[in-house]
Amino acid sequence: MTTRVAANGIEIAYDSFGSPTGRPLLLIMGLGAQLIQWDEGLCRLLAEQGHHVVRFDNRDAGLSTHIHDAGVPQPGAPAPYSLTDMAADTAAFMDAIGWPSAHVVGASMGGMIAQTLAIEHPERVLTLTSIMSTPGPDVAPPTPEAMTALMTPPPADRAGVLDQSVVTWSTIGSPGYELDEEAIRERAGLAYDRCFDPAGTARQFAAIRASGDRTQALAGVRAPTLVIHGEADPLIPVAGGRATAEAVPGARLVTYPGMGHDLPKALWPDIVAEITKLTAS
């Protein structure tokens, strides 16, 4: 069941898996993605390893507060907010659910938020797992095809959004694994029915661009860190993962051949094992 709590002047929607007595594990999702992008099956696997798993909607996504008054960011105009603000949302959300600290896992933009949290709120981060992410927007530029998929405006109708989602994930997903078109359509439909706000995604993208490069600041991170990346990721190429791991002292880098900008089901057991190894140490 999805719950909403007040945090940092907004409301954040979340749900959870596993026992409240388990190790707190916070999942942060990426650009324009809702908490449901963390598959329930993956969340259950993590919970089975002794984690109390919480996934949530960032501001401007899903059932959390949308900053509608900010409109669509215009070229050259200041971004309505930054990743620092989104990390502050995360810290305040942890306060709201009674977590002084947590093992933090972020994917894509969620990895950027997690990195920012570890830099700016280090006492909140027990361990850091950065998945398919990067220290800065220009460290590992996307391929032209991936950028086109990212920047193509979505159709306004539900059927069109589902069709486009298949095209998008065919472009940025994992070429080494079979594309599950039915699952992609199902999740895209759930996301559309929960919330459809392309302007919110544009504001999140502006936050990424406005937040600059974290490479130097990551050198100060002391949380044990795991970096996971697909070797076939066209949206944030594996150079982004390597740069993250090189920036954080003692970070461990795990890469997967054939993995793109998603989390193939076949890799879930290994990814869960890697995260568990980190959180249980």
Side-chain angles (χ1 to χ4, degrees):
M1 182 182 73
T2 303
T3 304
R4 286 165 61 101
V5 293
N8 199 27
I10 62 174
E11 288 195 337
I12 291 181
Y14 74 99
D15 62 14
S16 63
F17 300 80
S19 169
T21 62
R23 297 188 300 283
L25 187 73
L26 186 65
L27 304 181
I28 312 176
M29 194 25 83
L31 177 67
Q34 303 180 39
L35 61 81
I36 58 173
Q37 196 65 34
W38 293 107
D39 193 281
E40 288 190 13
L42 176 59
C43 293
R44 291 194 187 96
L45 286 177
L46 288 163
E48 287 169 6
Q49 295 303 312
H51 299 107
H52 182 204
V53 180
V54 168
R55 56 181 188 170
F56 70 98
D57 289 325
N58 289 305
R59 63 165 70 192
D60 269 332
L63 304 182
S64 291
T65 298
H66 290 243
I67 319 300
H68 295 300
D69 290 348
V72 177
Q74 298 303 309
Y81 52 84
S82 68
L83 295 180
T84 286
D85 297 309
M86 299 182 83
D89 292 347
T90 305
F93 169 64
M94 292 170 66
D95 287 336
I97 62 173
W99 281 7
S101 57
H103 302 279
V104 179
V105 179
S108 195
M109 181 190 73
M112 302 173 199
I113 296 169
Q115 292 170 22
T116 306
L117 187 71
I119 292 165
E120 299 179 1
H121 306 268
E123 73 284 356
R124 313 309 298 262
V125 181
L126 297 172
T127 65
L128 169 65
T129 300
S130 180
I131 303 175
M132 53 190 171
S133 196
T134 177
D138 299 320
V139 171
T143 65
E145 295 80 11
M147 180 55 82
T148 297
L150 181 69
M151 301 306 293
T152 299
D157 64 295
R158 189 179 191 277
V161 167
L162 268 59
D163 288 342
Q164 188 184 59
S165 70
V166 174
V167 174
T168 298
W169 292 108
S170 298
T171 303
I172 68 172
S174 298
Y177 297 84
E178 185 176 356
L179 185 76
D180 189 341
E181 182 174 330
E182 183 178 349
I184 289 170
R185 287 182 174 277
E186 180 181 3
R187 183 171 287 117
L190 289 171
Y192 184 92
D193 294 341
R194 251 178 130 246
C195 168
F196 180 66
D197 183 16
T201 301
R203 291 189 289 272
Q204 290 184 348
F205 186 74
I208 293 172
R209 296 301 310 176
S211 297
D213 192 296
R214 291 170 296 283
T215 302
Q216 290 187 346
L218 285 170
V221 170
R222 294 295 175 262
T225 297
L226 169 67
V227 178
I228 294 174
H229 218 104
E231 295 177 13
D233 190 335
L235 188 59
I236 300 179
V238 70
R242 293 194 181 109
T244 303
E246 289 169 2
V248 179
R252 180 164 184 263
L253 174 65
V254 177
T255 65
Y256 294 101
M259 174 179 156
H261 203 73
D262 60 0
L263 296 170
K265 190 172 184 178
L267 291 177
W268 290 357
D270 197 77
I271 290 171
V272 169
E274 291 290 350
I275 293 172
T276 301
K277 187 189 306 181
L278 180 71
T279 65
S281 59

